PDB file of all heavy atoms in Angstrom:
ATOM      1  N   GLY A   1     -12.627  -9.767   4.150  1.00 49.00           N
ATOM      2  CA  GLY A   1     -13.139  -8.414   4.177  1.00 49.00           C
ATOM      3  C   GLY A   1     -14.155  -8.171   5.262  1.00 49.00           C
ATOM      4  O   GLY A   1     -14.876  -7.178   5.232  1.00 49.00           O
ATOM      5  N   GLU A   2     -14.258  -9.127   6.255  1.00 50.00           N
ATOM      6  CA  GLU A   2     -15.215  -8.978   7.336  1.00 50.00           C
ATOM      7  C   GLU A   2     -14.548  -8.311   8.525  1.00 50.00           C
ATOM      8  O   GLU A   2     -13.342  -8.399   8.707  1.00 50.00           O
ATOM      9  CB  GLU A   2     -15.755 -10.357   7.752  1.00 50.00           C
ATOM     10  CG  GLU A   2     -16.454 -11.099   6.601  1.00 50.00           C
ATOM     11  CD  GLU A   2     -16.884 -12.476   7.042  1.00 50.00           C
ATOM     12  OE1 GLU A   2     -16.671 -12.802   8.236  1.00 50.00           O
ATOM     13  OE2 GLU A   2     -17.428 -13.224   6.217  1.00 50.00           O
ATOM     14  N   PRO A   3     -15.298  -7.636   9.358  1.00 50.00           N
ATOM     15  CA  PRO A   3     -14.717  -7.010  10.554  1.00 50.00           C
ATOM     16  C   PRO A   3     -14.261  -8.052  11.543  1.00 50.00           C
ATOM     17  O   PRO A   3     -14.833  -9.142  11.631  1.00 50.00           O
ATOM     18  CB  PRO A   3     -15.870  -6.157  11.097  1.00 50.00           C
ATOM     19  CG  PRO A   3     -17.101  -6.826  10.583  1.00 50.00           C
ATOM     20  CD  PRO A   3     -16.753  -7.383   9.235  1.00 50.00           C
ATOM     21  N   LEU A   4     -13.212  -7.749  12.268  1.00 48.00           N
ATOM     22  CA  LEU A   4     -12.718  -8.619  13.315  1.00 48.00           C
ATOM     23  C   LEU A   4     -13.681  -8.592  14.495  1.00 48.00           C
ATOM     24  O   LEU A   4     -14.469  -7.648  14.662  1.00 48.00           O
ATOM     25  CB  LEU A   4     -11.322  -8.172  13.754  1.00 48.00           C
ATOM     26  CG  LEU A   4     -10.236  -8.266  12.683  1.00 48.00           C
ATOM     27  CD1 LEU A   4      -8.948  -7.673  13.211  1.00 48.00           C
ATOM     28  CD2 LEU A   4     -10.034  -9.696  12.264  1.00 48.00           C
ATOM     29  N   PRO A   5     -13.664  -9.642  15.354  1.00 50.00           N
ATOM     30  CA  PRO A   5     -14.561  -9.646  16.527  1.00 50.00           C
ATOM     31  C   PRO A   5     -14.330  -8.411  17.384  1.00 50.00           C
ATOM     32  O   PRO A   5     -13.207  -8.043  17.692  1.00 50.00           O
ATOM     33  CB  PRO A   5     -14.157 -10.928  17.263  1.00 50.00           C
ATOM     34  CG  PRO A   5     -13.565 -11.798  16.227  1.00 50.00           C
ATOM     35  CD  PRO A   5     -12.893 -10.877  15.257  1.00 50.00           C
ATOM     36  N   GLY A   6     -15.413  -7.783  17.755  1.00 49.00           N
ATOM     37  CA  GLY A   6     -15.337  -6.605  18.607  1.00 49.00           C
ATOM     38  C   GLY A   6     -15.203  -5.314  17.842  1.00 49.00           C
ATOM     39  O   GLY A   6     -15.197  -4.240  18.423  1.00 49.00           O
ATOM     40  N   GLU A   7     -15.065  -5.390  16.484  1.00 46.00           N
ATOM     41  CA  GLU A   7     -14.957  -4.180  15.695  1.00 46.00           C
ATOM     42  C   GLU A   7     -16.288  -3.877  15.044  1.00 46.00           C
ATOM     43  O   GLU A   7     -17.094  -4.785  14.795  1.00 46.00           O
ATOM     44  CB  GLU A   7     -13.894  -4.332  14.599  1.00 46.00           C
ATOM     45  CG  GLU A   7     -12.488  -4.461  15.139  1.00 46.00           C
ATOM     46  CD  GLU A   7     -11.485  -4.429  14.006  1.00 46.00           C
ATOM     47  OE1 GLU A   7     -11.931  -4.399  12.848  1.00 46.00           O
ATOM     48  OE2 GLU A   7     -10.282  -4.426  14.301  1.00 46.00           O
ATOM     49  N   PRO A   8     -16.538  -2.611  14.719  1.00 47.00           N
ATOM     50  CA  PRO A   8     -17.789  -2.283  14.040  1.00 47.00           C
ATOM     51  C   PRO A   8     -17.827  -2.907  12.653  1.00 47.00           C
ATOM     52  O   PRO A   8     -16.802  -3.177  12.043  1.00 47.00           O
ATOM     53  CB  PRO A   8     -17.754  -0.750  13.964  1.00 47.00           C
ATOM     54  CG  PRO A   8     -16.322  -0.385  14.117  1.00 47.00           C
ATOM     55  CD  PRO A   8     -15.734  -1.435  15.011  1.00 47.00           C
ATOM     56  N   ALA A   9     -19.049  -3.135  12.176  1.00 47.00           N
ATOM     57  CA  ALA A   9     -19.214  -3.826  10.899  1.00 47.00           C
ATOM     58  C   ALA A   9     -18.628  -3.008   9.752  1.00 47.00           C
ATOM     59  O   ALA A   9     -18.021  -3.535   8.845  1.00 47.00           O
ATOM     60  CB  ALA A   9     -20.700  -4.111  10.643  1.00 47.00           C
ATOM     61  N   ALA A  10     -18.789  -1.710   9.786  1.00 43.00           N
ATOM     62  CA  ALA A  10     -18.291  -0.856   8.705  1.00 43.00           C
ATOM     63  C   ALA A  10     -16.913  -0.340   9.058  1.00 43.00           C
ATOM     64  O   ALA A  10     -16.706   0.836   9.317  1.00 43.00           O
ATOM     65  CB  ALA A  10     -19.254   0.303   8.465  1.00 43.00           C
ATOM     66  N   ARG A  11     -15.942  -1.256   9.118  1.00 44.00           N
ATOM     67  CA  ARG A  11     -14.577  -0.854   9.461  1.00 44.00           C
ATOM     68  C   ARG A  11     -13.914  -0.245   8.226  1.00 44.00           C
ATOM     69  O   ARG A  11     -13.912  -0.832   7.155  1.00 44.00           O
ATOM     70  CB  ARG A  11     -13.781  -2.081   9.918  1.00 44.00           C
ATOM     71  CG  ARG A  11     -12.344  -1.784  10.284  1.00 44.00           C
ATOM     72  CD  ARG A  11     -11.775  -2.943  11.079  1.00 44.00           C
ATOM     73  NE  ARG A  11     -11.872  -4.183  10.335  1.00 44.00           N
ATOM     74  CZ  ARG A  11     -10.890  -4.667   9.577  1.00 44.00           C
ATOM     75  NH1 ARG A  11      -9.781  -4.004   9.454  1.00 44.00           N
ATOM     76  NH2 ARG A  11     -11.039  -5.819   8.943  1.00 44.00           N
ATOM     77  N   GLU A  12     -13.331   0.937   8.410  1.00 44.00           N
ATOM     78  CA  GLU A  12     -12.690   1.611   7.296  1.00 44.00           C
ATOM     79  C   GLU A  12     -11.377   0.924   6.962  1.00 44.00           C
ATOM     80  O   GLU A  12     -10.624   0.522   7.830  1.00 44.00           O
ATOM     81  CB  GLU A  12     -12.428   3.079   7.638  1.00 44.00           C
ATOM     82  CG  GLU A  12     -13.704   3.875   7.825  1.00 44.00           C
ATOM     83  CD  GLU A  12     -13.392   5.327   8.063  1.00 44.00           C
ATOM     84  OE1 GLU A  12     -12.185   5.667   8.098  1.00 44.00           O
ATOM     85  OE2 GLU A  12     -14.339   6.115   8.206  1.00 44.00           O
ATOM     86  N   LYS A  13     -11.111   0.814   5.681  1.00 44.00           N
ATOM     87  CA  LYS A  13      -9.892   0.169   5.203  1.00 44.00           C
ATOM     88  C   LYS A  13      -8.740   1.164   5.262  1.00 44.00           C
ATOM     89  O   LYS A  13      -8.857   2.287   4.804  1.00 44.00           O
ATOM     90  CB  LYS A  13     -10.104  -0.305   3.769  1.00 44.00           C
ATOM     91  CG  LYS A  13      -9.056  -1.314   3.312  1.00 44.00           C
ATOM     92  CD  LYS A  13      -9.443  -1.861   1.968  1.00 44.00           C
ATOM     93  CE  LYS A  13      -8.466  -2.933   1.524  1.00 44.00           C
ATOM     94  NZ  LYS A  13      -8.811  -3.494   0.212  1.00 44.00           N
ATOM     95  N   ALA A  14      -7.602   0.735   5.846  1.00 39.00           N
ATOM     96  CA  ALA A  14      -6.450   1.623   5.978  1.00 39.00           C
ATOM     97  C   ALA A  14      -5.866   1.909   4.602  1.00 39.00           C
ATOM     98  O   ALA A  14      -5.791   1.024   3.755  1.00 39.00           O
ATOM     99  CB  ALA A  14      -5.382   0.991   6.867  1.00 39.00           C
ATOM    100  N   PRO A  15      -5.460   3.125   4.346  1.00 39.00           N
ATOM    101  CA  PRO A  15      -4.885   3.436   3.024  1.00 39.00           C
ATOM    102  C   PRO A  15      -3.565   2.726   2.821  1.00 39.00           C
ATOM    103  O   PRO A  15      -2.752   2.622   3.727  1.00 39.00           O
ATOM    104  CB  PRO A  15      -4.706   4.964   3.080  1.00 39.00           C
ATOM    105  CG  PRO A  15      -4.606   5.280   4.540  1.00 39.00           C
ATOM    106  CD  PRO A  15      -5.482   4.278   5.238  1.00 39.00           C
ATOM    107  N   ALA A  16      -3.351   2.203   1.602  1.00 39.00           N
ATOM    108  CA  ALA A  16      -2.111   1.477   1.300  1.00 39.00           C
ATOM    109  C   ALA A  16      -0.964   2.467   1.151  1.00 39.00           C
ATOM    110  O   ALA A  16      -1.135   3.581   0.670  1.00 39.00           O
ATOM    111  CB  ALA A  16      -2.277   0.672   0.012  1.00 39.00           C
ATOM    112  N   LEU A  17       0.246   2.034   1.587  1.00 34.00           N
ATOM    113  CA  LEU A  17       1.425   2.882   1.465  1.00 34.00           C
ATOM    114  C   LEU A  17       1.832   2.976   0.009  1.00 34.00           C
ATOM    115  O   LEU A  17       1.891   1.972  -0.702  1.00 34.00           O
ATOM    116  CB  LEU A  17       2.572   2.313   2.301  1.00 34.00           C
ATOM    117  CG  LEU A  17       2.348   2.312   3.813  1.00 34.00           C
ATOM    118  CD1 LEU A  17       3.529   1.654   4.504  1.00 34.00           C
ATOM    119  CD2 LEU A  17       2.152   3.720   4.340  1.00 34.00           C
ATOM    120  N   GLU A  18       2.126   4.138  -0.431  1.00 38.00           N
ATOM    121  CA  GLU A  18       2.525   4.349  -1.821  1.00 38.00           C
ATOM    122  C   GLU A  18       4.012   4.096  -1.971  1.00 38.00           C
ATOM    123  O   GLU A  18       4.825   4.704  -1.292  1.00 38.00           O
ATOM    124  CB  GLU A  18       2.200   5.781  -2.236  1.00 38.00           C
ATOM    125  CG  GLU A  18       2.483   6.045  -3.716  1.00 38.00           C
ATOM    126  CD  GLU A  18       2.089   7.445  -4.112  1.00 38.00           C
ATOM    127  OE1 GLU A  18       1.453   8.129  -3.268  1.00 38.00           O
ATOM    128  OE2 GLU A  18       2.409   7.850  -5.240  1.00 38.00           O
ATOM    129  N   LYS A  19       4.349   3.153  -2.849  1.00 39.00           N
ATOM    130  CA  LYS A  19       5.749   2.794  -3.051  1.00 39.00           C
ATOM    131  C   LYS A  19       6.443   3.843  -3.918  1.00 39.00           C
ATOM    132  O   LYS A  19       5.855   4.395  -4.850  1.00 39.00           O
ATOM    133  CB  LYS A  19       5.866   1.422  -3.722  1.00 39.00           C
ATOM    134  CG  LYS A  19       5.346   0.281  -2.851  1.00 39.00           C
ATOM    135  CD  LYS A  19       5.545  -1.045  -3.547  1.00 39.00           C
ATOM    136  CE  LYS A  19       5.064  -2.194  -2.690  1.00 39.00           C
ATOM    137  NZ  LYS A  19       5.247  -3.490  -3.355  1.00 39.00           N
ATOM    138  N   ALA A  20       7.708   4.079  -3.579  1.00 36.00           N
ATOM    139  CA  ALA A  20       8.485   5.018  -4.379  1.00 36.00           C
ATOM    140  C   ALA A  20       8.823   4.382  -5.713  1.00 36.00           C
ATOM    141  O   ALA A  20       9.021   3.178  -5.807  1.00 36.00           O
ATOM    142  CB  ALA A  20       9.764   5.413  -3.644  1.00 36.00           C
ATOM    143  N   PRO A  21       8.855   5.140  -6.787  1.00 38.00           N
ATOM    144  CA  PRO A  21       9.187   4.567  -8.091  1.00 38.00           C
ATOM    145  C   PRO A  21      10.614   4.050  -8.096  1.00 38.00           C
ATOM    146  O   PRO A  21      11.482   4.583  -7.420  1.00 38.00           O
ATOM    147  CB  PRO A  21       9.023   5.757  -9.051  1.00 38.00           C
ATOM    148  CG  PRO A  21       9.176   6.960  -8.184  1.00 38.00           C
ATOM    149  CD  PRO A  21       8.631   6.572  -6.837  1.00 38.00           C
ATOM    150  N   PRO A  22      10.878   2.940  -8.808  1.00 39.00           N
ATOM    151  CA  PRO A  22      12.241   2.401  -8.838  1.00 39.00           C
ATOM    152  C   PRO A  22      13.208   3.360  -9.488  1.00 39.00           C
ATOM    153  O   PRO A  22      12.858   4.127 -10.385  1.00 39.00           O
ATOM    154  CB  PRO A  22      12.083   1.112  -9.674  1.00 39.00           C
ATOM    155  CG  PRO A  22      10.860   1.351 -10.508  1.00 39.00           C
ATOM    156  CD  PRO A  22       9.955   2.205  -9.670  1.00 39.00           C
ATOM    157  N   ILE A  23      14.448   3.308  -8.988  1.00 33.00           N
ATOM    158  CA  ILE A  23      15.492   4.159  -9.539  1.00 33.00           C
ATOM    159  C   ILE A  23      16.053   3.502 -10.782  1.00 33.00           C
ATOM    160  O   ILE A  23      16.443   2.338 -10.761  1.00 33.00           O
ATOM    161  CB  ILE A  23      16.607   4.394  -8.507  1.00 33.00           C
ATOM    162  CG1 ILE A  23      16.023   5.095  -7.275  1.00 33.00           C
ATOM    163  CG2 ILE A  23      17.744   5.205  -9.095  1.00 33.00           C
ATOM    164  CD1 ILE A  23      17.006   5.259  -6.152  1.00 33.00           C
ATOM    165  N   THR A  24      16.046   4.204 -11.859  1.00 36.00           N
ATOM    166  CA  THR A  24      16.559   3.669 -13.114  1.00 36.00           C
ATOM    167  C   THR A  24      17.757   4.485 -13.564  1.00 36.00           C
ATOM    168  O   THR A  24      17.865   5.669 -13.288  1.00 36.00           O
ATOM    169  CB  THR A  24      15.466   3.712 -14.204  1.00 36.00           C
ATOM    170  OG1 THR A  24      15.035   5.075 -14.369  1.00 36.00           O
ATOM    171  CG2 THR A  24      14.272   2.852 -13.818  1.00 36.00           C
ATOM    172  N   ARG A  25      18.639   3.810 -14.248  1.00 36.00           N
ATOM    173  CA  ARG A  25      19.828   4.463 -14.780  1.00 36.00           C
ATOM    174  C   ARG A  25      19.808   4.347 -16.291  1.00 36.00           C
ATOM    175  O   ARG A  25      19.311   3.390 -16.857  1.00 36.00           O
ATOM    176  CB  ARG A  25      21.105   3.802 -14.241  1.00 36.00           C
ATOM    177  CG  ARG A  25      21.226   3.865 -12.741  1.00 36.00           C
ATOM    178  CD  ARG A  25      22.573   3.306 -12.320  1.00 36.00           C
ATOM    179  NE  ARG A  25      23.645   4.102 -12.842  1.00 36.00           N
ATOM    180  CZ  ARG A  25      24.155   5.162 -12.196  1.00 36.00           C
ATOM    181  NH1 ARG A  25      23.668   5.538 -11.045  1.00 36.00           N
ATOM    182  NH2 ARG A  25      25.143   5.843 -12.714  1.00 36.00           N
ATOM    183  N   LYS A  26      20.368   5.327 -16.946  1.00 39.00           N
ATOM    184  CA  LYS A  26      20.468   5.272 -18.384  1.00 39.00           C
ATOM    185  C   LYS A  26      21.504   4.228 -18.782  1.00 39.00           C
ATOM    186  O   LYS A  26      22.513   4.058 -18.114  1.00 39.00           O
ATOM    187  CB  LYS A  26      20.871   6.644 -18.949  1.00 39.00           C
ATOM    188  CG  LYS A  26      19.825   7.726 -18.699  1.00 39.00           C
ATOM    189  CD  LYS A  26      20.284   9.049 -19.262  1.00 39.00           C
ATOM    190  CE  LYS A  26      19.252  10.141 -18.998  1.00 39.00           C
ATOM    191  NZ  LYS A  26      19.693  11.454 -19.522  1.00 39.00           N
ATOM    192  N   PRO A  27      21.268   3.505 -19.867  1.00 38.00           N
ATOM    193  CA  PRO A  27      22.226   2.477 -20.273  1.00 38.00           C
ATOM    194  C   PRO A  27      23.533   3.094 -20.715  1.00 38.00           C
ATOM    195  O   PRO A  27      23.560   4.129 -21.371  1.00 38.00           O
ATOM    196  CB  PRO A  27      21.515   1.785 -21.442  1.00 38.00           C
ATOM    197  CG  PRO A  27      20.569   2.820 -21.968  1.00 38.00           C
ATOM    198  CD  PRO A  27      20.140   3.615 -20.770  1.00 38.00           C
ATOM    199  N   VAL A  28      24.625   2.453 -20.319  1.00 38.00           N
ATOM    200  CA  VAL A  28      25.949   2.890 -20.741  1.00 38.00           C
ATOM    201  C   VAL A  28      26.659   1.713 -21.357  1.00 38.00           C
ATOM    202  O   VAL A  28      26.401   0.568 -21.008  1.00 38.00           O
ATOM    203  CB  VAL A  28      26.763   3.443 -19.554  1.00 38.00           C
ATOM    204  CG1 VAL A  28      26.120   4.697 -19.007  1.00 38.00           C
ATOM    205  CG2 VAL A  28      26.915   2.409 -18.451  1.00 38.00           C
ATOM    206  N   GLY A  29      27.586   2.006 -22.273  1.00 37.00           N
ATOM    207  CA  GLY A  29      28.316   0.946 -22.932  1.00 37.00           C
ATOM    208  C   GLY A  29      27.391   0.145 -23.826  1.00 37.00           C
ATOM    209  O   GLY A  29      26.249   0.489 -24.070  1.00 37.00           O
TER     210      GLY A  29
END
């Protein structure tokens, strides 16, 4: 969680990509 060399100390954390919900099917048979 430390800044990389040459970066400012208070480096903002990139927002995580939101995963799409899994596709579900209704049970058949």
